[in-house]
Amino acid sequence: MPHWSDHYLSASRSYDEMHLEDGSVRVPYEKVNDYIKKFNAGAFREKEKIAGDLFLNRGITFTVYSEKEGIERIFPFDIIPRIITSSEWAIIEQGIRQRLKALNCFLKDIYHDQQILNDGIIPATLIASCPHYNRDIYGIHVPHDIYVHISGIDLIRDTNGTFYVLEDNLRTPSGVSYMLENREITKRIFPDLLSGNKVKSISDYPILLHKVLADVAPHNISNPTIVLLTPGIYNSAYYEHTFLAKYMGIELVEGRDLVVKNDHVYMKSTSGLKQVDVIYRRVDDDFLDPLIFRPDSTLGVAGLTSVYRKGNVSIANAIGNGVADDKAVYNYVPQMIRYYLNEEPVLQNVPTYSMENEEERAYTLSNITRMVIKKTNESGGYGLMMGDKATDAEIADITAAVTESPRNFIAQPIISLSTAPCFIDGQLQARHVDLRPYALCGPQGIEIVPGGLTRVALRAGSKVVNSSQGGGSKDTWVLSEE
């Protein structure tokens, strides 16, 4: 009798994480496949229900801004893990380390000597037109020359199974709490399967994050006071802010809890003011200091930039990092690697067309149904148009917008992201996935926990994996052996 999982089919022309083209199971997935074969679909429905209840009871949520009601949602979780082999992970790790070294060099250079512009590697006009290039912090020296303390580099696989970098998230990347919670839920529903696959642990992340933050404290303070600055309960990642503060044992504060006095930042407490040495901020630059950025912001701290300039507080990530994850600047990261490190990139960019380049713009608009158009300064899946799904009206609108403001857009060929089996409606179904590993940069080097957040486009055929656009996630297993 056929098993309920026998009907699994991956999307055509996509690399499937679990199955080879002939339908056989890839070696790393054999134990998972054998496990699935032992149970009927009802048993997996029960595990799915247990996982859902655990997410609900633990309050693992995110917020969708576009909804007018019920904006707080349980983060969708698919119970079937995604597996990455140790050799695949070695390449990912090497590539991310290389990329972050170059991006840190770029940020130091661009806020000091600007040699990369003087040498014509990156057009000066591109940087000058970047809304996230912050002239107010030009010349500020940051501890240990580290600008990117926390990053989430988005990766995808093409049809051949090769990993490509899709985006660099260097401002306030989110999702790491879901990576950790996904593992905890998996331990509860698949304890024997997890241990039997020799999956590498990711549980050290909060400890590593705390160490990085402590190590970048100004003036080499041995026991610094570290706080996590959140915009508050209405932020989409507020759950994550509370999670990380709790697991690091630091205070979760809002702007109103901090005050600047005598060139230092202090936290208000019941016992008086306490000096703050390091701020892990989850507030965007524009809202961080109303004296420098948006004067109407109540999320930040008046005078914070002045304290930062004097070196009396460290801020992670550094102010102004957005210039390095502008989607138009992303196109130049391979050149940065060659320029600063004299190395060839380990991980390749997705081919990207600049809309400011007349030829590339003309090519894009002539082939728009095979392109994804992205706004250069949007994230979370906003400002994105998939040419193969767009209506004629949407194509006309985006064409007009690109023509009017080419600097605000890039284009990339639509890549058929890899698929992974997901348990949906009592069946194994193929859904497109990406991967966001999290890296931490400190004075002792770069740490990357073995795993990441595998995001899932839960709608059949969709390639948009963002949670704000209906995406979910699954646990990511990096194996310690082949």
Side-chain angles (χ1 to χ4, degrees):
M1 177 182 293
H3 190 263
W4 61 274
S5 65
D6 289 343
H7 302 292
Y8 176 76
L9 293 172
S10 65
S12 61
R13 300 188 303 280
S14 295
Y15 178 95
D16 189 72
E17 300 284 337
M18 185 171 179
H19 285 101
L20 295 162
E21 289 182 2
D22 64 4
S24 59
V25 176
R26 297 183 190 277
V27 172
Y29 276 90
E30 286 180 347
K31 290 181 180 176
V32 170
N33 186 60
D34 292 344
Y35 186 90
I36 291 172
K37 296 292 186 190
K38 292 180 183 175
F39 298 93
N40 59 33
F44 271 74
R45 283 187 189 276
E46 182 61 26
K47 290 183 180 298
E48 186 180 46
K49 182 179 184 308
I50 293 170
D53 290 344
L54 288 169
F55 267 78
L56 185 64
N57 294 335
R58 295 165 75 103
I60 305 170
T61 61
F62 72 106
T63 303
V64 178
Y65 292 123
S66 59
E67 300 282 335
K68 292 183 178 178
E69 56 184 352
I71 57 173
E72 197 166 4
R73 291 180 174 175
I74 300 298
F75 196 64
F77 172 68
D78 179 69
I79 61 175
I80 309 295
R82 186 255 189 95
I83 296 177
I84 294 172
T85 65
S86 57
S87 56
E88 290 172 332
W89 180 252
I91 295 171
I92 290 171
E93 195 172 25
Q94 183 186 3
I96 290 177
R97 287 179 191 278
Q98 180 192 55
R99 199 168 179 95
L100 289 175
K101 285 179 186 174
L103 285 163
N104 261 315
C105 291
F106 168 71
L107 283 162
K108 180 187 177 185
D109 187 15
I110 210 71
Y111 284 114
H112 291 85
D113 299 334
Q114 301 193 334
Q115 199 59 45
I116 198 168
L117 305 184
N118 297 334
D119 288 342
I121 306 299
I122 298 178
T125 52
L126 182 69
I127 303 303
S129 61
C130 177
H132 296 295
Y133 178 69
N134 196 320
R135 291 169 180 78
D136 292 302
I137 64 156
Y138 180 86
I140 290 180
H141 292 281
V142 301
H144 307 282
D145 291 333
I146 298 172
Y147 291 77
V148 184
H149 309 85
I150 301 111
S151 65
I153 308 295
D154 290 345
L155 305 173
I156 61 171
R157 284 201 211 238
D158 71 355
T159 52
N160 297 318
T162 303
F163 281 102
Y164 287 81
V165 176
L166 184 64
E167 289 185 7
D168 301 295
N169 296 287
L170 310 177
R171 283 174 275 177
T172 57
S174 62
V176 75
S177 62
Y178 304 124
M179 173 189 78
L180 295 165
E181 290 285 22
N182 287 352
R183 178 61 52 84
E184 291 304 309
I185 303 298
T186 303
K187 286 178 183 174
R188 300 282 291 273
I189 60 175
F190 295 127
D192 48 344
L193 184 59
L194 189 69
S195 59
N197 277 272
K198 297 182 179 177
V199 180
K200 291 188 177 182
S201 173
I202 56 174
S203 60
D204 282 351
Y205 181 87
I207 297 172
L208 295 171
L209 175 59
H210 186 274
K211 185 175 187 332
V212 163
L213 295 173
D215 286 351
V216 297
H219 314 307
N220 295 317
I221 298 170
S222 60
N223 187 25
T225 297
I226 307 167
V227 299
L228 193 156
L229 176 61
T230 175
I233 61 172
Y234 296 110
N235 184 266
S236 63
Y238 184 71
Y239 167 77
E240 178 156 299
H241 304 164
T242 62
F243 176 96
L244 291 174
K246 173 184 171 185
Y247 280 88
M248 286 193 288
I250 64 174
E251 294 289 339
L252 179 70
V253 300
E254 297 184 24
R256 61 190 175 186
D257 300 318
L258 302 177
V259 63
V260 167
K261 290 185 71 175
N262 302 322
D263 295 330
H264 290 82
V265 181
Y266 294 89
M267 174 174 55
K268 301 170 189 172
S269 73
T270 53
S271 58
L273 296 180
K274 183 175 184 181
Q275 185 175 324
V276 172
D277 305 302
V278 181
I279 299 176
Y280 176 25
R281 57 77 174 249
R282 298 296 294 259
V283 174
D284 291 339
D285 283 1
D286 286 350
F287 301 94
L288 208 50
D289 181 350
L291 298 185
I292 300 295
F293 308 113
R294 288 182 52 158
D296 59 335
S297 171
T298 58
L299 302 178
V301 187
L304 178 62
T305 308
S306 174
V307 179
Y308 186 52
R309 181 177 288 280
K310 289 180 169 64
N312 291 334
V313 69
S314 295
I315 298 176
N317 283 332
I319 303 175
N321 273 16
V323 65
D325 70 8
D326 182 305
K327 291 182 175 59
V329 175
Y330 153 92
N331 211 11
Y332 290 89
V333 175
Q335 288 94 316
M336 291 180 201
I337 292 170
R338 298 184 185 100
Y339 181 75
Y340 293 116
L341 307 181
N342 196 28
E343 298 173 1
E344 283 300 309
V346 174
L347 294 171
Q348 302 299 318
N349 275 15
V350 172
T352 301
Y353 300 97
S354 166
M355 293 301 91
E356 287 194 298
N357 181 298
E358 194 171 336
E359 284 187 21
E360 293 180 17
R361 184 170 68 247
Y363 175 82
T364 297
L365 296 179
S366 299
N367 296 274
I368 199 161
T369 56
R370 296 192 287 119
M371 296 287 183
V372 53
I373 311 292
K374 298 179 178 179
K375 286 189 175 179
T376 52
N377 290 298
E378 291 280 5
S379 59
Y382 296 102
L384 178 153
M385 191 211 72
M386 305 290 291
D388 60 341
K389 305 290 184 187
T391 64
D392 290 344
E394 288 169 335
I395 287 176
D397 288 345
I398 201 75
T399 299
V402 167
T403 304
E404 182 178 343
S405 303
R407 170 61 177 84
N408 294 337
F409 297 90
I410 61 161
Q412 295 171 328
I414 296 172
I415 292 181
S416 187
L417 314 185
S418 63
T419 58
C422 298
F423 187 69
I424 297 174
D425 297 333
Q427 298 287 329
L428 275 191
Q429 299 188 33
R431 292 292 186 270
H432 292 290
V433 296
D434 77 351
L435 176 65
R436 176 177 291 184
Y438 295 91
L440 298 167
C441 302
Q444 310 304 319
I446 297 173
E447 298 276 2
I448 309 174
V449 289
L453 185 69
T454 288
R455 301 185 299 176
V456 183
L458 290 174
R459 285 192 288 268
S462 173
K463 299 181 181 69
V464 182
V465 298
N466 307 79
S467 58
S468 56
Q469 310 296 316
S473 71
K474 55 169 62 214
D475 193 12
T476 308
W477 293 2
V478 174
L479 306 185
S480 58
E481 297 176 5
E482 295 295 303

